[in-house]
Amino acid sequence: MIPYFMFHYKITNRHNHIINDGYNQGGKPREFLFHGTDFTGGLSAYQVVPTFTGNNLTVGTDILYYGGNAYRDPVKEIYADHKKLHEEAVYIFDQQTVGKFMFNAGIRMDNHSAYGIEWIPQAGISFMPGRNTTIKASASKGFRMPNMRELYMYAVANEDLKPEKAWSYDFTVGQHFLDGALNVEASVFYTKGSNIIEVTVVEGKRQNRNVGEFENMGVELSADYRVTPTLSFNTNYSFLHMGTIYTGAPEHKFYFGGNWTPGKFTVNLGAMAINGLYLTTGDNALIENYVDVKAKVGYQITKNIGVFVRGANLLNQKYATMEGFPEPGVTVLGGVSISL
């Protein structure tokens, strides 16, 4: 294998926002609109080196900088005052193949301007006892910095938040059938972590807080079936048992979709069912259950030009994935795609 180098630079994005936040029914319009300016940019580079037979060594670095300011009342209600954060990381990852086994291991050092240095290791092994069967196991550390909204935005903001941390372990078995036309995979997983960020009530006021340790376990099942070269279906299901209830992760999640590509047409249809999604925790917790059906039809006019129509929430379900932020009803979008 020939060694190769990858370099990517993301030009800074800058956005200005002026938003009417609305007001409660029976209330009065707000005196000020929401104003915000944000920016983000970064660099990513890595080198892959085949050191000896069956081995690939990867070393790389990531750099990210971001920030901005946000306010409603420019004197009394300032959320973020020209915040500037940056994050640098270096990593090394090695993969070794020995017969029917493949081993991999790596470590990443992440240095954040607000939280300092964090070491993030991972390791895994896979085994192919037969041509159509794969068995995999892995262990890895998870790490998430609080984002700008959690740290600075609105009344729930908390600049004293700590990063979320977790260790995850999983075991997966995959099987191919019908000469590879049907692929099935089953996984079991276990995660234990700390400092998960939740909106809690403190002295009668809502605030983002690190709420302590959490422990999850569950199963994931998935399958995809290519019926013909132009027609395929895919489905997946996951069950999550939460030792400590928290928001944003449903207990049950099921998806079924299909893709059909007759000639220049492309048709995609999918339905996702969510059950047991907590919007709030504690007494009188809010829990969402809903079905979201999406569809997309596209037509390739020429090699470089295509048109499409996309629809979401086609059953017009009323639901939210975050408390206080209801999702829109039926949404239809059309557009033109141009590739050069």
Side-chain angles (χ1 to χ4, degrees):
M1 177 178 177
I2 300 175
Y4 62 88
F5 174 76
M6 179 66 72
F7 173 84
H8 175 69
Y9 173 68
K10 183 178 182 180
I11 299 175
T12 301
N13 292 323
R14 291 185 178 272
H15 299 92
N16 296 315
H17 312 277
I18 301 176
I19 301 172
N20 187 336
D21 282 338
Y23 53 94
N24 294 327
Q25 186 174 2
K28 296 181 179 180
R30 295 178 182 271
E31 185 177 354
F32 298 96
L33 300 180
F34 171 86
H35 289 252
T37 301
D38 59 80
F39 65 90
T40 181
L43 176 148
S44 178
Y46 65 88
Q47 175 77 52
V48 178
V49 181
T51 52
F52 47 85
T53 303
N55 185 272
N56 284 319
L57 180 68
T58 302
V59 294
T61 182
D62 294 318
I63 298 174
L64 176 68
Y65 63 99
Y66 58 99
N69 61 76
Y71 64 89
R72 187 176 286 118
D73 182 332
V75 177
K76 300 178 181 178
E77 203 171 0
I78 300 174
Y79 301 123
D81 186 15
H82 293 87
K83 297 294 182 180
K84 296 180 180 179
L85 300 175
H86 57 89
E87 182 179 352
E88 302 83 32
V90 293
Y91 59 88
I92 183 170
F93 180 83
D94 190 65
Q95 182 173 284
Q96 175 68 51
T97 300
V98 181
K100 294 183 177 182
F101 288 88
M102 180 181 292
F103 305 89
N104 64 77
I107 190 165
R108 176 185 176 100
M109 186 194 75
D110 199 296
N111 181 43
H112 193 277
S113 56
Y115 298 103
I117 293 176
E118 186 73 25
W119 293 92
I120 308 170
Q122 68 175 78
I125 181 175
S126 65
F127 173 55
M128 293 187 66
R131 185 170 63 90
N132 296 315
T133 306
T134 303
I135 301 173
K136 299 181 289 185
S138 68
S140 61
K141 182 179 180 180
F143 181 71
R144 187 183 78 85
M145 305 288 187
N147 58 41
M148 294 285 286
R149 176 185 60 80
E150 293 165 334
L151 290 169
Y152 306 115
M153 298 300 293
Y154 308 115
V156 297
N158 182 1
E159 295 188 37
D160 296 324
L161 290 173
K162 299 176 182 179
E164 297 178 342
K165 300 180 182 181
W167 273 96
S168 297
Y169 310 88
D170 65 80
F171 178 79
T172 302
V173 177
Q175 182 70 43
H176 301 311
F177 300 95
L178 303 177
D179 293 326
L182 174 62
N183 302 309
V184 180
E185 192 170 87
S187 301
V188 294
F189 61 87
Y190 171 78
T191 302
K192 186 172 184 179
S194 61
N195 292 336
I196 190 168
I197 298 171
E198 289 281 356
V199 178
T200 61
V201 178
V202 181
E203 297 180 353
K205 296 182 179 179
R206 288 159 45 82
Q207 187 181 44
N208 294 324
R209 284 290 183 97
N210 294 106
V211 296
E213 296 186 350
F214 64 94
E215 187 177 26
N216 298 332
M217 60 186 70
V219 297
E220 294 181 350
L221 306 172
S222 64
D224 60 82
Y225 179 42
R226 182 165 293 279
V227 183
T228 70
T230 61
L231 178 64
S232 63
F233 297 97
N234 61 91
T235 184
N236 59 72
Y237 166 77
S238 64
F239 167 72
L240 175 66
H241 171 73
M242 292 181 282
T244 301
I245 301 298
Y246 60 90
T247 61
E251 183 179 12
H252 300 275
K253 180 180 178 181
F254 174 76
Y255 174 83
F256 182 83
N259 301 287
W260 185 38
T261 56
K264 294 185 176 182
F265 281 96
T266 301
V267 181
N268 310 110
L269 180 65
M272 179 175 64
I274 296 294
N275 180 269
L277 174 65
Y278 283 81
L279 303 185
T280 63
T281 59
D283 296 335
N284 302 315
L286 296 177
I287 304 175
E288 280 284 19
N289 305 302
Y290 62 90
V291 176
D292 183 12
V293 176
K294 297 181 180 181
K296 180 180 178 181
V297 178
Y299 181 75
Q300 199 68 29
I301 301 174
T302 69
K303 179 181 178 181
N304 305 104
I305 301 175
V307 294
F308 67 89
V309 177
R310 182 170 61 223
N313 195 12
L314 297 180
L315 299 182
N316 197 30
Q317 298 272 285
K318 297 185 183 299
Y319 70 95
T321 58
M322 291 180 59
E323 183 194 11
F325 295 88
E327 295 292 325
V330 176
T331 304
V332 178
L333 172 68
V336 178
S337 61
I338 301 175
S339 59
L340 302 176

